[in-house]
Amino acid sequence: MESLLTIVITIFCGVSVYILGEIAHEIWLKPLEQYKQIKSEISYSLVYYANLYSNTIDLADDQEMAIKSHKHASDEFRILAAKLHGFVETLFWLKPLIPPKEKLLDASHELMGLSNSFFCAYNTHETHEQNRENHQSADRIRELLNMTHRI
């Protein structure tokens, strides 16, 4: 009788540990992996496209190649903003090592703003101020997502 009770307790404990492990994986580890992936993509894009968001262009100048590359980079930042925003919607209340939802949403909004800032107002050529604001946005994104490296 005692050995049967020991077997039942062992099976119950094993199943409980497995279930708790799966819950921890779904609630914490999987979102942490997703966050690290999105953060990596954002960090890469902030470095790779810095030459473009630091040099906004005026659409009136009709620089077809520059417009095309700026448009592509702008679209990439828009995609990243949407990914980060969507990620926030999947988070549970327990999220160690992931910034608070407010910071993630702020970073998403900054990414969207950066996406919208690759071009200055048509025929104004006011690029210097926009370039400075774009750098501030990039720094703010890095701060919100706890990125360690600045360029």
Side-chain angles (χ1 to χ4, degrees):
M1 183 66 176
E2 229 177 89
S3 63
L4 182 61
L5 182 60
T6 303
I7 292 171
V8 169
I9 290 173
T10 303
I11 291 172
F12 177 77
C13 289
V15 169
S16 297
V17 167
Y18 175 78
I19 290 171
L20 289 175
E22 287 299 308
I23 290 171
H25 180 266
E26 286 298 313
I27 289 177
W28 179 56
L29 291 177
K30 194 172 177 182
L32 182 60
E33 290 172 9
Q34 290 173 322
Y35 170 68
K36 286 182 176 184
Q37 177 63 36
I38 293 169
K39 181 179 173 181
S40 173
E41 290 177 41
I42 292 169
S43 180
Y44 169 83
S45 294
L46 286 172
V47 172
Y48 188 77
Y49 295 116
N51 65 321
L52 299 179
Y53 66 74
S54 297
N55 295 294
T56 57
I57 60 174
D58 191 321
L59 291 172
D61 291 342
D62 196 30
Q63 307 167 23
E64 189 175 329
M65 288 304 292
I67 290 171
K68 186 176 182 181
S69 62
H70 277 65
K71 175 76 170 100
H72 174 74
S74 172
D75 290 345
E76 289 296 316
F77 279 102
R78 184 170 295 281
I79 289 167
L80 290 170
K83 278 185 180 181
L84 186 57
H85 194 88
F87 170 73
V88 169
E89 296 298 322
T90 67
L91 289 177
F92 291 95
W93 62 271
L94 178 65
K95 51 187 183 338
L97 303 177
I98 298 174
K101 287 183 179 184
E102 297 77 27
K103 283 188 172 187
L104 296 175
L105 289 173
D106 286 348
S108 176
H109 292 293
E110 288 285 341
L111 284 164
M112 190 62 74
L114 193 55
S115 169
N116 294 334
S117 301
F118 278 76
F119 304 97
C120 68
Y122 194 81
N123 221 9
T124 63
H125 297 92
E126 296 177 2
T127 59
H128 180 70
E129 182 64 25
Q130 188 62 56
N131 294 340
R132 190 177 65 71
E133 289 175 13
N134 288 352
H135 269 283
Q136 289 173 341
S137 287
D139 286 343
R140 178 87 173 120
I141 292 164
R142 288 183 182 97
E143 178 186 316
L144 289 166
L145 298 179
N146 300 324
M147 294 179 182
T148 56
H149 295 93
R150 307 259 187 267
I151 58 168

